[in-house]
Amino acid sequence: MPLGKRSDFGDARYAGVEVNYAHDIAGAMQEYLLCGFDFVLASLVQPGHEQPALQLPQDGSAVTPVIREELMLTSATWGGQIVGKVSSWIDTDSPEPELAQRSTAALQQELSWAAFLGLQAVLLPTPQQQHKNAFNFAQVVNQALGGLSHMALWLQLPMTEPPAAQQQQQQQQDTPAAANSSSSSSSFDWFEYWCTLFTLCEQSSLLGVALVVPPDLPCKRAVARWLAQPLKALLLPTSVFTTNKRGYPILSKAHQELLSTAYRHNVQVVLTGEPLHKVAPAPPQPPPPATPAPESTIAAAAAAAGGDVLPFAVNDPGESHVLRPYWEYLCYLFRRLDGGAAQEQVEAGYRDYLQAPLQPLQDNLESQTYETFEKDVTKYACYQAAVHAALLDRVPDDKAEETVTTLMVVGAGRGPLVRSSIAAARATRRKLRVYAVEKNPAAIVHIQRMVRCEGWQEMVTIVHTDMRDWQPPELADILVSELLGSFGDNELSPECLDGAQRLLKPGGISIPASYTSFLAPVTTAKLWDAVRNYKDLEHCETPYVVKFHRHCTLSPPQPVFTFVHPNPQQPPDNNRAATLRFPRPAEDGVGVLHGFAGYFESVLYKDVTLNTHPPTHTPNMFSWFPIFFPLREPLTLPAGADLITHMWRKCGKHKVWYEWAVSEPVACPIHNPGGRSYYVGL
Amino acid sequence: MPLGKRSDFGDARYAGVEVNYAHDIAGAMQEYLLCGFDFVLASLVQPGHEQPALQLPQDGSAVTPVIREELMLTSATWGGQIVGKVSSWIDTDSPEPELAQRSTAALQQELSWAAFLGLQAVLLPTPQQQHKNAFNFAQVVNQALGGLSHMALWLQLPMTEPPAAQQQQQQQQDTPAAANSSSSSSSFDWFEYWCTLFTLCEQSSLLGVALVVPPDLPCKRAVARWLAQPLKALLLPTSVFTTNKRGYPILSKAHQELLSTAYRHNVQVVLTGEPLHKVAPAPPQPPPPATPAPESTIAAAAAAAGGDVLPFAVNDPGESHVLRPYWEYLCYLFRRLDGGAAQEQVEAGYRDYLQAPLQPLQDNLESQTYETFEKDVTKYACYQAAVHAALLDRVPDDKAEETVTTLMVVGAGRGPLVRSSIAAARATRRKLRVYAVEKNPAAIVHIQRMVRCEGWQEMVTIVHTDMRDWQPPELADILVSELLGSFGDNELSPECLDGAQRLLKPGGISIPASYTSFLAPVTTAKLWDAVRNYKDLEHCETPYVVKFHRHCTLSPPQPVFTFVHPNPQQPPDNNRAATLRFPRPAEDGVGVLHGFAGYFESVLYKDVTLNTHPPTHTPNMFSWFPIFFPLREPLTLPAGADLITHMWRKCGKHKVWYEWAVSEPVACPIHNPGGRSYYVGL
């Protein structure tokens, strides 16, 4: 049964358990499923049948049924409740030719057998580290992937730190305990091995990782890099659990956090190993949770967290299973997860989902789009604060009575900025004349109604036209617009405001006054895979609006292009070119670059800002997701190698587009030359 | 007029000349063409019009005619006899924004203008080195390439050494002269810049290089790496010429060699600069050639080299041109080129041409293919020597009368190995019984005729069957076959001979006795471009038989797979896996990997070998061109970085195939998994 269904995470989470091979697989299944687990992890091969005879079909096509119980279970059980485990003796890269040959044949055979059974996933054993990089293993896995349509392969790997980080730690805490911890696995970085293997296997969508959770966890950045990879499962040995006073298995704070992260990122948890906590059979009182422990029962904890109450009855036969306390603890951790703010829950559905950026100049927006925008209270409060400050600067207190300030909202939409501006005027007791300029006829209807309802007919003039064509009866003191896209200038705010600049008096104020885009290199295997699945060049050279979720930033964002309004440069030139050097500390180890995340910072007026740049993000503002510029091919970045990236903003007669490229540590082709795959129409 | 037409080089060679811009371009053209040159290199912009006004169309679409003489020349002249030169003041990457902006606009404008005129090629100026890597330049060039259909862009670059090689030289010869030579250009490697630019521009087929020939040439390896790139022209300044006793311009030995290499590789030569050799106007006696000087006149030299006699009359008006002596010297160098052996001339037509490897097991060969093979006298002499040695070892002199040796030729074709074997028997006075086994019915007819004509009916039994199916009346002492492909085992010699092994007596001899394939990483932009032009995955994962010409080996070949016959391993396993580490000395600088060249060495019997591996290549043997394993994407190798490559030979039930990959310095996907793109049928 699932750990619980929680709509705030978009899906249920499941937990599996490793079973040591028993002859009665059907009975074992029954027992573990009753205990609460959703699936079992079981050897593909019966004990005593591990090593097939040497005389093998050379292509591994003829599979001998290594599990005799095939007929004891239905296809649905094989497909839905069993993850197969490939034999761990297999060593395709052994220096002994005979063992290597037998291993290759056995691996091919077990994978064919699993595919025949219709398993959803198979766990591949960790290659022998002493042979360094297991390339024959990569060859067999890659060849197998070519023949699979849906069965996933999960490679079991240890969770290690990058070598440079290990050294650093060992220097810092030169204690015997530290020397025995995760850093003892010498300088071999399994993440680097994974990157090579994944590239050799062409980043197959069916290939993933299952990480073994160690007793001593690596640093957070070392874990974070795995989340941007296709991490499918955590293998959690019972030996990692500690014991609370009452004898129940619990996890350390750090491990609890790791599991929370796993749950939040859709990573499954599989319990492995023998039961080590023999809890006195004392139900119906469930064990108290570990730390923090305000709730005294699992059911209460679950209820408090808004989850379902545990659906098992007190005398549930599975409840007396020796692994039951572990399962209950996993449940407890899942159910007490903080679902986040309401807005975060709304956004959950957009995680790692590619959206085309808006083209507001070419297209008229739909009413629903306006409505979504208008929900962002923070954004309009910022605008109001900016107009407020501008009015105070523009009109001294002693002139407040006699001076009427002319304010134009260009691109007024359904009127929220008109409302904010008038609110600012009221608060500052300044007199205002507002022109609301909007090209979308449907939006105009909304403004008209708003003006009528509020009785602003005297104050507000509605102008139904494109701001670039309008001949105003007078010039403006303040020009207000909200034309920024996820990357700042990408919805052509610069071109629009340059065109509208003639509406402004000399010395007049533009809100926003300036904006700067930011770019950061990211690992995001999931998004890259989604882009690739379009199977054409265009989609590989198009930026997307994305709520990044399973990603990892390889270096902090850096500023790219800045635009200032009113534009002092005449004639204006909105072409831009930027070369960015992203430093990467050696401790971070090898990195995989799938593309770039884009943000912006904007100054509305003086110290009133609107930012999506993560370090300065305006709190509680949610109008913009970041933008994602993909790379056609992922690039592997050696540890410590700086990344040099180029970004161009190019302006043609009828369109504006970006081009981007990497030149170091290795060059890639310039993406989207001439705007061939993506542009914004003027 | 061409420097001469020579069928031994497959094409005529042309020479161009740079003209300083004159207002009367038509007159200048006339003058230079009369002098002998085939095309002129001329500025696209009239003096005084270099720097366009700042107010430019932003997309460079509206081109103002910067050369006013447009109408003075026909399209054919523009297209066939003028290479345009982009203004050298252009500096798209200047730190001064205004200059960068003007430069970008001017570059776009000049290129559009050249395309409008229908030029075949345009020379791009060398970017300013002090800005290090000119990325805006790359952006503009790449965008322009996207809009071109046939006009080539040649980037003018200095011919430099890799930085490590420069340092080495400076240490070795620490003289003031050396310090002033080519090594003075600090540690900037223009080759590396080129590699980056070419990658940024997606290895466009229209982008090439024109190298400026310096007075002091870099080492040969530094030149060789350029030949594997799209090197289109050498720009040869008049200042590089020295003067002979009679005042005529001549070149140093090293420069002569460079020009010979250029001619052989289809690279054009363009003379640049002012005439510096004012030769006394004393025709009709042409100048004596420089060194070596056995021929006393150009006409004689040309005639001696088998070229055409110069077609100009003594009183040719162009003959008095001040650049005429330079042109005559270029002519002389071209005409005296050694055309190579007859076989080399035959092979010239196959240079850098992709051929599919044979599938002799699946297909029956055509008579012409046999005929081509049989022309290789050397190969059959080697086979005869091998049989000779085997017979002497097998039958001692005192048993020669009484012993009949049974020899089987498996895959006898039209019978050349039967002939070689019988010749060996005669020479050794050994008695022979020959079975000629062949599956191709057409070839059988030929053997039958041969046996009849030679009166060998008693000695030779013709068996029309597949060697794998044949039930022989007796077993063989010696089994002779010629089943090797360009990569040794790639035409399935191992599988055939394993199958035929049952025909051999215990202790019998197989000729060949063993063979080993070799692999070397190569740069070959031309072949890679040809592979890419198929525009599908299959062709990017298929090996080709190729006569490599414009290529450069990045590290010496290394042994890959070895097969021994008779095969001691039972049951035989012809799967193979190899990991090769190719060292690359830092002095070689950056390298570009397009794929791998494959060769073989085979031992026919004891010390009789047949090799295509370059260091041990059997002299005068021409039956095999090397094989080329392409990479789907070229990889740039940093200076001094070793290359790790993997090669697999995989055997299925009905087919055999190779897979290959690179894992260091960066990984690439495994090519041809499961033989999806290419295999050899069993």
Side-chain angles (χ1 to χ4, degrees):
Chain A
M1 86 195 72
L3 297 178
K5 284 186 198 294
R6 291 184 51 171
S7 60
D8 53 349
F9 288 111
D11 198 1
R13 286 306 172 285
Y14 300 95
V17 63
E18 184 186 36
V19 301
N20 284 323
Y21 198 83
H23 279 264
D24 177 19
I25 191 164
M29 286 287 305
Q30 179 74 5
E31 183 190 335
Y32 285 102
L33 297 180
L34 270 178
C35 168
F37 293 99
D38 303 291
F39 61 89
V40 302
L41 177 63
S43 287
L44 285 164
V45 177
Q46 224 174 341
H49 291 72
E50 288 92 351
Q51 308 216 1
L54 244 186
Q55 189 86 33
L56 283 162
Q58 289 199 320
D59 60 353
S61 59
V63 171
T64 48
V66 278
I67 301 192
R68 302 285 166 197
E69 287 84 352
E70 179 198 344
L71 299 175
M72 294 175 60
L73 298 172
T74 62
S75 298
T77 303
W78 283 115
Q81 298 177 314
I82 297 179
V83 169
K85 221 174 98 182
V86 167
S87 301
S88 58
W89 65 267
I90 284 176
D91 184 6
T92 50
D93 292 75
S94 166
E96 284 179 51
E98 201 213 289
L99 178 55
Q101 191 189 343
R102 270 196 300 139
S103 295
T104 301
L107 179 53
Q108 285 174 335
Q109 220 175 12
E110 293 196 22
L111 292 178
S112 299
W113 173 238
F116 169 74
L117 289 175
L119 300 194
Q120 264 185 39
V122 163
L123 188 71
L124 300 171
T126 310
Q128 308 287 326
Q129 190 194 324
Q130 69 268 32
H131 315 148
K132 207 79 190 194
N133 289 325
F135 294 110
N136 293 338
F137 181 75
Q139 191 277 327
V140 177
V141 168
N142 185 51
Q143 191 180 331
L145 285 165
L148 296 177
S149 56
H150 74 284
M151 187 175 82
L153 305 185
W154 299 349
L155 178 63
Q156 174 172 340
L157 289 178
M159 197 185 259
T160 49
E161 307 245 18
Q166 288 174 23
Q167 285 166 15
Q168 213 177 47
Q169 281 176 8
Q170 251 168 348
Q171 284 163 4
Q172 280 169 7
Q173 23 164 295
D174 222 346
T175 64
N180 287 332
S181 78
S182 60
S183 52
S184 63
S185 58
S186 85
S187 69
F188 191 81
D189 187 4
W190 284 103
F191 183 82
E192 189 171 344
Y193 172 72
W194 162 254
C195 292
T196 299
L197 179 82
F198 198 42
T199 302
L200 287 168
C201 293
E202 223 159 327
Q203 276 94 24
S204 166
S205 312
L206 293 174
L207 187 58
V209 180
L211 286 180
V212 181
V213 178
D216 293 295
L217 291 177
C219 69
K220 280 201 181 164
R221 278 194 69 77
V223 174
R225 59 185 186 161
W226 282 110
L227 290 173
Q229 297 289 335
L231 174 61
K232 299 297 180 186
L234 291 182
L235 303 177
L236 184 65
T238 49
S239 59
V240 162
F241 285 79
T242 56
T243 312
N244 74 0
K245 285 179 202 157
R246 301 189 44 202
Y248 283 90
I250 57 167
L251 289 172
S252 74
K253 259 249 157 78
H255 285 88
Q256 289 177 38
E257 256 180 65
L258 175 68
L259 257 69
S260 298
T261 306
Y263 288 143
R264 284 181 199 281
H265 288 83
N266 239 330
V267 177
Q268 317 215 32
V269 174
V270 181
L271 191 71
T272 65
E274 296 296 317
L276 299 173
H277 297 75
K278 298 271 160 64
V279 184
Q285 185 62 28
T291 44
E295 308 91 358
S296 61
T297 66
I298 287 180
D308 301 339
V309 172
L310 290 184
F312 51 84
V314 168
N315 286 323
D316 191 321
E319 224 175 307
S320 58
H321 195 281
V322 284
L323 290 177
R324 177 73 178 197
Y326 299 94
W327 180 81
E328 287 185 350
Y329 187 73
L330 295 179
C331 263
Y332 155 71
L333 289 183
F334 178 65
R335 295 179 187 204
R336 70 156 200 195
L337 277 185
D338 176 12
Q343 180 58 29
E344 202 181 308
Q345 295 189 23
V346 170
E347 291 176 1
Y350 290 96
R351 285 176 184 157
D352 289 335
Y353 174 77
L354 301 170
Q355 290 177 274
L358 292 175
Q359 294 244 2
L361 237 68
Q362 283 193 319
D363 310 331
N364 282 326
L365 300 184
E366 292 171 11
S367 193
Q368 211 199 325
T369 311
Y370 287 117
E371 201 172 301
T372 309
F373 288 161
E374 289 166 19
K375 279 189 188 149
D376 193 341
V377 178
T378 306
K379 185 175 78 174
Y380 294 106
C382 291
Y383 267 99
Q384 186 178 330
V387 174
H388 188 114
L391 282 173
L392 290 183
D393 279 0
R394 190 96 190 150
V395 183
D397 275 342
D398 56 343
K399 299 274 177 66
E401 273 303 309
E402 67 210 60
T403 312
V404 178
T405 302
T406 304
L407 182 147
M408 293 176 184
V409 178
V410 288
R414 306 201 311 180
L417 288 181
V418 172
R419 191 181 292 276
S420 303
S421 301
I422 291 173
R426 290 227 173 110
T428 54
R429 299 174 188 277
R430 272 18 177 208
K431 285 193 165 22
L432 206 60
R433 184 158 52 245
V434 178
Y435 292 88
V437 186
E438 174 57 46
K439 70 175 168 62
N440 186 349
I444 287 284
V445 177
H446 282 268
I447 312 184
Q448 285 167 340
R449 193 173 50 207
M450 177 182 78
V451 168
R452 228 173 20 243
C453 290
E454 302 282 355
W456 291 341
Q457 291 89 339
E458 287 296 301
M459 208 181 342
V460 178
T461 308
I462 300 171
V463 184
H464 178 202
T465 184
D466 189 307
M467 71 179 86
R468 291 171 293 185
D469 305 328
W470 183 43
Q471 295 306 326
E474 59 175 324
L475 296 180
D477 296 283
I478 302 174
L479 194 68
V480 185
S481 65
E482 52 168 336
L483 301 164
L484 296 182
S486 291
F487 196 50
D489 58 82
N490 65 304
E491 292 182 9
L492 309 195
S493 179
E495 283 71 16
C496 291
L497 293 185
D498 284 348
Q501 194 160 323
R502 64 193 170 82
L503 306 177
L504 200 58
K505 286 180 188 163
I509 293 166
S510 170
I511 295 175
S514 70
Y515 35 90
T516 299
S517 47
F518 283 77
L519 206 65
V522 288
T523 306
T524 168
K526 192 173 175 189
L527 286 175
W528 186 82
D529 193 47
V531 169
R532 169 176 59 173
N533 279 337
Y534 284 111
K535 296 188 202 309
D536 60 32
L537 177 67
E538 285 66 32
H539 282 87
C540 296
E541 296 190 334
T542 296
Y544 301 89
V545 169
V546 172
K547 169 80 180 161
F548 284 97
H549 189 55
R550 291 196 62 158
H551 79 299
C552 175
T553 302
L554 292 165
S555 186
Q558 294 194 14
V560 191
F561 305 135
T562 295
F563 294 85
V564 175
H565 299 288
N567 190 342
Q569 186 192 28
Q570 291 304 329
D573 179 15
N574 293 324
N575 286 290
R576 292 285 188 281
T579 291
L580 307 172
R581 175 182 284 271
F582 292 102
R584 295 193 56 247
E587 307 90 81
D588 283 3
V590 143
V592 180
L593 179 68
H594 288 109
F596 299 89
Y599 314 95
F600 70 85
E601 280 186 4
S602 69
V603 174
L604 292 184
Y605 184 71
K606 292 194 171 163
D607 58 351
V608 184
T609 58
L610 270 190
N611 303 337
T612 67
H613 176 213
T616 62
H617 198 293
T618 307
N620 302 317
M621 184 185 67
F622 54 80
S623 287
W624 292 274
F625 288 155
I627 201 163
F628 173 53
F629 291 91
L631 282 186
R632 282 156 55 182
E633 294 294 333
L635 294 178
T636 303
L637 310 177
D642 286 3
L643 171 70
I644 297 187
T645 300
H646 309 277
M647 190 87 193
W648 292 274
R649 185 185 200 270
K650 304 297 290 181
C651 307
K653 257 188 184 161
H654 305 293
K655 62 182 188 180
V656 173
W657 69 96
Y658 300 100
E659 301 185 16
W660 59 99
V662 168
S663 64
E664 282 187 31
V666 282
C668 74
I670 295 176
H671 285 52
N672 194 36
R676 67 177 172 194
S677 297
Y678 160 84
Y679 60 84
V680 188
L682 272 169
Chain B
M1 80 196 78
L3 297 177
K5 285 187 198 293
R6 291 185 52 173
S7 59
D8 53 348
F9 288 111
D11 199 2
R13 287 305 173 285
Y14 300 95
V17 63
E18 183 186 37
V19 300
N20 283 322
Y21 198 84
H23 278 265
D24 177 17
I25 193 165
M29 287 288 303
Q30 179 75 2
E31 184 189 333
Y32 284 102
L33 297 180
L34 270 178
C35 168
F37 292 99
D38 303 291
F39 62 87
V40 301
L41 177 63
S43 288
L44 285 164
V45 177
Q46 224 172 340
H49 290 73
E50 287 92 350
Q51 310 215 3
L54 245 186
Q55 189 86 35
L56 281 163
Q58 290 198 319
D59 60 352
S61 61
V63 171
T64 47
V66 278
I67 301 192
R68 302 287 167 196
E69 288 84 351
E70 180 198 343
L71 299 175
M72 293 174 61
L73 299 172
T74 62
S75 298
T77 302
W78 283 115
Q81 296 179 315
I82 296 180
V83 169
K85 223 173 99 183
V86 166
S87 301
S88 58
W89 66 266
I90 284 177
D91 185 6
T92 50
D93 291 77
S94 167
E96 284 178 52
E98 201 214 289
L99 177 56
Q101 191 189 344
R102 271 196 298 139
S103 294
T104 300
L107 179 53
Q108 285 174 335
Q109 219 176 13
E110 293 196 22
L111 291 178
S112 299
W113 173 236
F116 170 73
L117 289 175
L119 300 195
Q120 266 187 36
V122 162
L123 188 72
L124 299 171
T126 309
Q128 308 286 327
Q129 190 194 324
Q130 69 267 31
H131 315 148
K132 207 79 188 194
N133 288 324
F135 294 110
N136 293 338
F137 181 76
Q139 191 278 327
V140 177
V141 168
N142 185 52
Q143 192 180 331
L145 285 165
L148 296 176
S149 56
H150 73 283
M151 187 175 82
L153 305 185
W154 298 349
L155 178 63
Q156 174 170 340
L157 289 177
M159 197 185 258
T160 49
E161 307 244 17
Q166 288 173 23
Q167 285 166 14
Q168 211 177 47
Q169 280 175 8
Q170 251 168 348
Q171 283 161 3
Q172 280 169 3
Q173 25 164 291
D174 222 346
T175 64
N180 288 331
S181 77
S182 59
S183 52
S184 62
S185 57
S186 86
S187 70
F188 190 82
D189 187 5
W190 284 104
F191 183 81
E192 191 170 341
Y193 172 72
W194 162 254
C195 292
T196 301
L197 178 82
F198 198 41
T199 302
L200 288 167
C201 294
E202 221 159 328
Q203 276 93 21
S204 166
S205 311
L206 292 175
L207 187 58
V209 179
L211 286 180
V212 180
V213 177
D216 294 294
L217 291 177
C219 69
K220 280 198 180 165
R221 278 194 69 78
V223 174
R225 60 185 184 160
W226 282 110
L227 290 172
Q229 298 288 335
L231 174 61
K232 298 299 181 185
L234 290 182
L235 302 177
L236 184 65
T238 50
S239 59
V240 161
F241 285 79
T242 56
T243 311
N244 74 358
K245 285 179 202 157
R246 299 189 46 200
Y248 284 91
I250 58 168
L251 289 172
S252 74
K253 258 252 159 78
H255 284 88
Q256 289 178 39
E257 257 180 67
L258 175 67
L259 257 70
S260 298
T261 306
Y263 288 144
R264 284 179 200 281
H265 289 82
N266 241 330
V267 177
Q268 317 217 35
V269 174
V270 180
L271 192 71
T272 65
E274 295 296 317
L276 299 174
H277 298 74
K278 299 271 162 63
V279 184
Q285 186 63 28
T291 44
E295 309 91 357
S296 59
T297 67
I298 287 179
D308 302 338
V309 171
L310 290 184
F312 50 83
V314 169
N315 287 322
D316 191 322
E319 224 176 306
S320 58
H321 194 282
V322 284
L323 290 177
R324 178 72 178 196
Y326 299 94
W327 180 81
E328 286 185 351
Y329 187 74
L330 296 179
C331 262
Y332 156 72
L333 289 182
F334 178 63
R335 295 180 185 204
R336 70 156 197 191
L337 279 183
D338 177 11
Q343 181 56 30
E344 202 181 307
Q345 295 190 22
V346 170
E347 292 175 1
Y350 290 96
R351 284 176 183 156
D352 289 334
Y353 173 77
L354 301 169
Q355 290 177 274
L358 291 175
Q359 294 245 4
L361 238 67
Q362 283 194 317
D363 310 329
N364 281 326
L365 301 183
E366 293 171 10
S367 194
Q368 212 199 324
T369 311
Y370 288 117
E371 201 171 300
T372 309
F373 288 161
E374 291 167 18
K375 278 189 188 147
D376 193 341
V377 178
T378 306
K379 185 176 77 174
Y380 293 106
C382 290
Y383 268 97
Q384 185 177 332
V387 175
H388 188 114
L391 283 174
L392 290 183
D393 279 0
R394 192 95 189 148
V395 183
D397 275 341
D398 56 343
K399 297 276 178 66
E401 274 303 308
E402 66 208 60
T403 313
V404 178
T405 302
T406 303
L407 182 146
M408 292 176 184
V409 179
V410 287
R414 307 201 311 181
L417 288 180
V418 172
R419 192 180 291 276
S420 303
S421 301
I422 292 174
R426 290 225 173 110
T428 55
R429 297 174 190 278
R430 268 29 176 200
K431 285 193 167 15
L432 206 62
R433 185 159 49 247
V434 178
Y435 292 89
V437 187
E438 173 58 46
K439 71 174 168 63
N440 186 348
I444 288 283
V445 178
H446 282 269
I447 312 183
Q448 285 168 336
R449 194 173 50 206
M450 178 182 75
V451 168
R452 230 174 17 247
C453 290
E454 301 282 355
W456 291 340
Q457 290 90 339
E458 287 296 300
M459 209 182 343
V460 178
T461 308
I462 300 171
V463 184
H464 178 200
T465 184
D466 190 308
M467 69 180 91
R468 293 170 293 184
D469 306 327
W470 184 41
Q471 295 306 325
E474 58 175 325
L475 296 180
D477 297 282
I478 302 174
L479 195 69
V480 185
S481 66
E482 51 169 338
L483 300 164
L484 297 181
S486 291
F487 196 50
D489 58 82
N490 65 305
E491 293 181 10
L492 308 196
S493 178
E495 283 71 17
C496 291
L497 294 184
D498 283 350
Q501 193 159 324
R502 65 195 168 83
L503 307 176
L504 199 59
K505 287 179 188 167
I509 294 165
S510 169
I511 295 175
S514 70
Y515 34 90
T516 299
S517 48
F518 283 78
L519 206 66
V522 288
T523 306
T524 167
K526 193 173 173 188
L527 286 175
W528 186 83
D529 193 47
V531 169
R532 169 176 59 173
N533 279 336
Y534 283 110
K535 297 190 201 306
D536 60 32
L537 177 67
E538 285 67 31
H539 282 87
C540 296
E541 296 189 335
T542 296
Y544 300 89
V545 170
V546 172
K547 168 80 180 163
F548 285 97
H549 189 54
R550 290 197 63 159
H551 79 300
C552 174
T553 302
L554 293 165
S555 186
Q558 294 195 14
V560 190
F561 305 136
T562 296
F563 295 86
V564 175
H565 299 287
N567 191 341
Q569 186 192 27
Q570 289 305 328
D573 178 16
N574 294 323
N575 286 290
R576 292 284 189 281
T579 292
L580 307 172
R581 176 182 283 272
F582 292 103
R584 294 193 56 247
E587 306 90 81
D588 282 5
V590 143
V592 180
L593 180 68
H594 289 107
F596 299 89
Y599 314 95
F600 70 85
E601 280 186 2
S602 69
V603 174
L604 291 185
Y605 184 70
K606 292 192 170 167
D607 58 350
V608 184
T609 59
L610 268 190
N611 304 336
T612 67
H613 176 215
T616 63
H617 198 294
T618 307
N620 302 316
M621 185 184 67
F622 53 80
S623 287
W624 293 276
F625 288 155
I627 202 163
F628 173 53
F629 291 92
L631 283 185
R632 282 156 55 183
E633 295 293 332
L635 295 178
T636 303
L637 310 177
D642 285 3
L643 170 71
I644 296 187
T645 300
H646 309 278
M647 190 89 194
W648 292 274
R649 185 186 199 269
K650 304 298 289 181
C651 307
K653 258 187 185 162
H654 305 293
K655 61 182 189 179
V656 173
W657 70 95
Y658 300 100
E659 301 185 16
W660 58 100
V662 169
S663 65
E664 280 186 31
V666 281
C668 74
I670 296 177
H671 286 52
N672 193 36
R676 68 176 172 194
S677 297
Y678 160 84
Y679 60 86
V680 188
L682 272 167

